[in-house]
Amino acid sequence: MTTTTLKAYPYRYDVVGSLLRPADLKAARAKFAAGEISADDLKVVQRAETKRVVQEQVDLGLKAVTDGEFNRSWWHLDFLWGLTGVGHYDYKQSYKFHGSKTRTDNADLVGKIAFNPDHPFFESFQYLQSLVPEGVVVKQTIPSPTMLFRDNRSDNWSQFYETWDAYLDDLAKAYHETIVHFYDLGCRYLQLDDTTWAFLISKLNETADDPTAHQKYVGLAEDAVRIINQLLAGLPEDLTVTTHICRGNFKSTYLFSGGYDDVADYLGQLHYDGLFLEYDSDRAGSFAPLKKIWNGDTGKRLVLGLITSKFPELEDEAAVKARIDEAAKQVPLANLALSTQCGFASTEEGNQLTEDQQWAKLKLVKRIADSVWG
């Protein structure tokens, strides 16, 4: 059991990351893809909309703000493509969301993986940092390194490494150095977004009666714990690093279902300062695993995603407060916080609601959190 001091963030009300892309940004991206405008032309639109959306968050009273992920098309792939040793190819198949089909982009290894000092996200962070007023912190989101484990992205690791462990070491090192560079640029709050744990929930449950298949996913979970804790080791004390455990978010659909029970022990071993946990539907299961996930760490905050970002209807405030009270039976209220269950646009297509409805959701998060925690 760890006993540490709570950091300033995650805040009692927090934003997960992505925000709905405005029409002019979507149009500019389409024109850029068609070769009708330059990268610089696209950047002009992207930066103007980033400035606007940052001010919207500040006006709302958020203490941590993001760029809405306006500098990317995918929540994960754009970042992965920016690492040394990662390439871009056509996967030829859509990711298996319930009721919708994605584009077919993917990433794969094209060499040894390493930190890229010229990663385009660094320039985007510096611009975002220039926009925030005093008293507001930039929250930088990037995908977890475990996202390279999935969807055939590491299939050819043996072309570049003698052992899987050597590959994991390089991946952890690349991420550690990337995060340190963000820190050197002024970042003090960074989040690793991760759908791998929801994937493992599904697979560990499916293979419960097949020891051989089950062990494969146990090994994957153990590798995930190892690489995450390895990259977190030795980071500056005044840097907060959290994770968002996601079940998939594309056009208001999802990828995975299942409670946290099968992965709670693993999540409890992760050395994050906070975990954003989806709890907006019955697919998330009960609050019972929260105690294991928290693991008695007084310095860790669990952010309950009780407000859905998938649909426009506003949740009943009393019902949300009752659920917070229920969760507080597993984890002290001081170690809990509130957010939407996910961002609003994990890909540029976005969920099925309007910008006004998006802001109404975030206002609801803040209103409830202010009432509960004061």
Side-chain angles (χ1 to χ4, degrees):
M1 182 178 76
T2 307
T3 53
T4 53
T5 303
L6 272 171
K7 295 183 177 180
Y9 19 89
Y11 289 106
R12 298 300 188 186
Y13 46 89
D14 216 309
V15 59
V16 173
S18 65
L19 298 167
L20 293 170
R21 310 302 198 268
D24 59 343
L25 180 56
K26 287 185 177 183
R29 277 199 170 274
K31 288 179 180 178
F32 174 70
E36 297 173 10
I37 63 172
S38 68
D40 286 341
D41 293 332
L42 172 60
K43 184 184 290 186
V44 168
V45 178
Q46 175 215 315
R47 288 196 164 186
E49 286 298 345
T50 300
K51 184 176 183 179
R52 178 186 65 83
V53 85
V54 166
Q55 191 59 51
E56 292 269 14
Q57 293 171 82
V58 171
D59 290 345
L60 186 66
L62 295 179
K63 296 180 181 178
V65 302
T66 77
D67 60 5
E69 302 180 2
F70 284 8
N71 64 326
R72 54 187 118 167
S73 176
W74 298 84
W75 66 276
H76 55 334
L77 296 175
D78 292 75
F79 176 83
L80 298 176
W81 289 325
L83 294 172
T84 299
V86 178
H88 182 173
Y89 78 103
D90 189 342
Y91 192 33
K92 303 294 186 183
Q93 57 181 306
S94 174
Y95 302 99
K96 297 175 178 62
F97 279 82
H98 293 257
S100 192
K101 290 185 177 181
T102 65
R103 288 166 282 131
T104 59
D105 299 298
N106 204 359
D108 64 347
L109 296 181
V110 295
K112 286 199 169 185
I113 197 160
F115 163 64
N116 175 13
D118 297 316
H119 197 298
F121 277 34
F122 296 138
E123 182 184 358
S124 294
F125 172 80
Q126 288 176 289
Y127 177 68
L128 177 59
Q129 185 84 325
S130 74
L131 299 175
V132 297
E134 187 175 351
V136 175
V137 66
V138 167
K139 179 178 181 178
Q140 176 65 47
T141 63
I142 61 176
S144 167
T146 61
M147 296 310 301
L148 271 173
F149 293 1
R150 297 248 317 284
D151 300 317
N152 307 104
R153 294 176 194 133
S154 294
D155 282 1
N156 58 355
W157 67 267
S158 59
Q159 294 181 26
F160 311 107
Y161 293 94
E162 291 187 6
T163 66
W164 175 253
D165 281 344
Y167 165 53
L168 294 186
D169 286 341
D170 267 7
L171 183 54
K173 184 172 184 284
Y175 260 78
H176 181 88
E177 292 177 353
T178 298
I179 294 171
V180 167
H181 193 63
F182 273 121
Y183 179 86
D184 291 341
L185 293 174
C187 181
R188 294 299 181 269
Y189 186 10
L190 184 139
Q191 178 176 292
L192 298 179
D193 295 319
D194 205 339
T195 61
T196 298
W197 295 106
F199 166 79
L200 286 169
I201 289 168
S202 176
K203 292 300 182 182
L204 289 168
N205 186 53
E206 285 177 14
T207 61
D209 297 324
D210 184 343
T212 301
H214 191 74
Q215 187 55 42
K216 171 186 174 182
Y217 297 108
V218 168
L220 185 58
E222 292 171 345
D223 285 343
V225 171
R226 173 234 163 135
I227 193 173
I228 289 168
N229 285 344
Q230 189 172 337
L231 74 90
L232 293 174
L235 290 175
E237 281 296 317
D238 60 338
L239 172 66
T240 294
V241 184
T242 64
T243 190
H244 170 237
I245 309 301
C246 179
R247 288 179 171 79
N249 191 48
F250 176 73
K251 291 185 177 180
S252 297
T253 63
Y254 64 95
L255 270 172
F256 306 112
S257 295
Y260 294 97
D261 308 76
D262 290 320
V263 297
D265 286 329
Y266 300 113
L267 295 179
Q269 296 173 48
L270 300 176
H271 297 162
Y272 286 119
D273 298 304
L275 291 90
F276 286 71
L277 302 170
E278 296 201 350
Y279 266 111
D280 65 321
S281 75
D282 292 342
R283 290 186 296 105
S286 75
F287 290 135
L290 289 180
K291 190 171 185 177
K292 285 185 178 180
I293 295 172
W294 181 56
N295 200 21
D297 186 346
T298 56
K300 182 174 291 182
R301 186 164 283 158
L302 303 187
V303 187
L304 304 174
L306 296 171
I307 309 297
T308 190
S309 68
K310 294 184 184 293
F311 307 110
E313 294 78 16
L314 291 178
E315 287 79 357
D316 178 77
E317 292 188 35
V320 173
K321 290 177 184 177
R323 296 201 72 197
I324 294 171
D325 288 341
E326 184 183 351
K329 295 176 182 177
Q330 304 294 333
V331 176
L333 187 63
N335 293 90
L336 296 175
L338 183 65
S339 73
T340 55
Q341 110 288 346
C342 194
F344 293 87
S346 299
T347 68
E348 62 183 296
E349 288 86 351
N351 284 343
Q352 304 303 307
L353 66 169
T354 67
E355 279 199 61
D356 284 345
Q357 290 165 339
Q358 166 186 266
W359 299 124
K361 288 280 181 173
L362 292 174
K363 287 177 183 176
L364 179 64
V365 168
K366 185 178 185 300
R367 187 162 62 246
I368 293 173
D370 283 339
S371 176
V372 171
W373 287 280

